[in-house]
Amino acid sequence: MKNAARDSIRICPECAAENSPFSDNCWLCQCPLTGDVEIVTAEIVGENRPNPILDRTFAVLTGLVGLLIVIVGIGIAADEPSLGVLYVLVVTPPLLGAFVRVKREMRRRRYVGWGERLATLIVSFALMYGLLMALGVAALVAFFIYCVIALST
C-alpha cells in the first residue's frame, strides 16, 4: 500500500512552487504552507519501457557503423598491413566492452535503452583513447629522460 504523504506534493499559493508534503514553508518564497495549500498526488514513473521503433532504428544504425568500421579497417589493412593490426587493437576493445556490458544488463532482465547503449560505447572509446594518450605521454617522458641521461654522459 502506498503512503499518500510520500507520493504527494504541496503547491505554494504564492509562487506555485512544488514542496514536500512535510514542509511548513515554501522552499522558494518562504511563504507559510498552511490551510489552503493544494496537495497534488504525484505520478510514480515506472522503469524505462522498450520502444521497438527506436530499438530497431538503433540496431540498424549500429550495424551501419559496425560495417563502416570494418570497411575502414579493411582499407587501412590493404594500404598498410601493420596499421591494420594497430587499428584492430585500438577499435576492438571498446566495441567488445560496450557489447559485453549491454548483454550483461540484458541478462539481468533490465531494459537497456538506445541512449544508454550509445553512452556506453562513447565512454568505452573515451577510456581507450585516454589510455592510449597516457601511454603516449609516458613514452615521450621516458624518451626525454633517456635523451637527457644520454647527453649528460
Side-chain angles (χ1 to χ4, degrees):
M1 188 163 174
K2 294 179 184 174
N3 184 354
R6 188 190 73 205
D7 298 337
S8 61
I9 55 175
R10 297 173 82 180
I11 304 296
C12 176
E14 293 293 320
C15 66
E18 295 179 355
N19 294 281
S20 163
F22 307 109
S23 300
D24 292 329
N25 294 326
C26 175
W27 70 271
L28 188 60
C29 68
Q30 298 302 314
C31 174
L33 299 174
T34 57
D36 302 0
V37 176
E38 177 184 2
I39 297 179
V40 179
T41 303
E43 176 185 342
I44 297 176
V45 179
E47 262 191 52
N48 236 356
R49 283 177 258 152
N51 185 336
I53 295 172
L54 284 178
D55 287 343
R56 213 170 304 126
T57 303
F58 185 75
V60 168
L61 290 176
T62 302
L64 290 174
V65 168
L67 182 64
L68 180 66
I69 289 172
V70 168
I71 290 171
V72 168
I74 290 170
I76 289 173
D79 190 43
E80 186 64 43
S82 61
L83 286 179
V85 172
L86 180 64
Y87 180 78
V88 168
L89 289 174
V90 168
V91 170
T92 304
L95 290 175
L96 285 177
F99 179 76
V100 167
R101 182 186 178 280
V102 168
K103 287 300 177 188
R104 186 181 306 144
E105 291 297 324
M106 292 172 92
R107 221 178 300 128
R108 292 180 184 159
R109 306 250 187 254
R110 184 177 161 270
Y111 173 69
V112 181
W114 65 271
E116 189 175 350
R117 293 177 189 190
L118 183 63
T120 300
L121 184 64
I122 290 170
V123 167
S124 297
F125 271 105
L127 288 173
M128 182 66 178
Y129 294 122
L131 178 66
L132 286 175
M133 293 298 289
L135 288 174
V137 168
L140 285 173
V141 168
F143 180 70
F144 177 75
I145 292 172
Y146 176 77
C147 289
V148 168
I149 291 172
L151 288 175
S152 66
T153 56

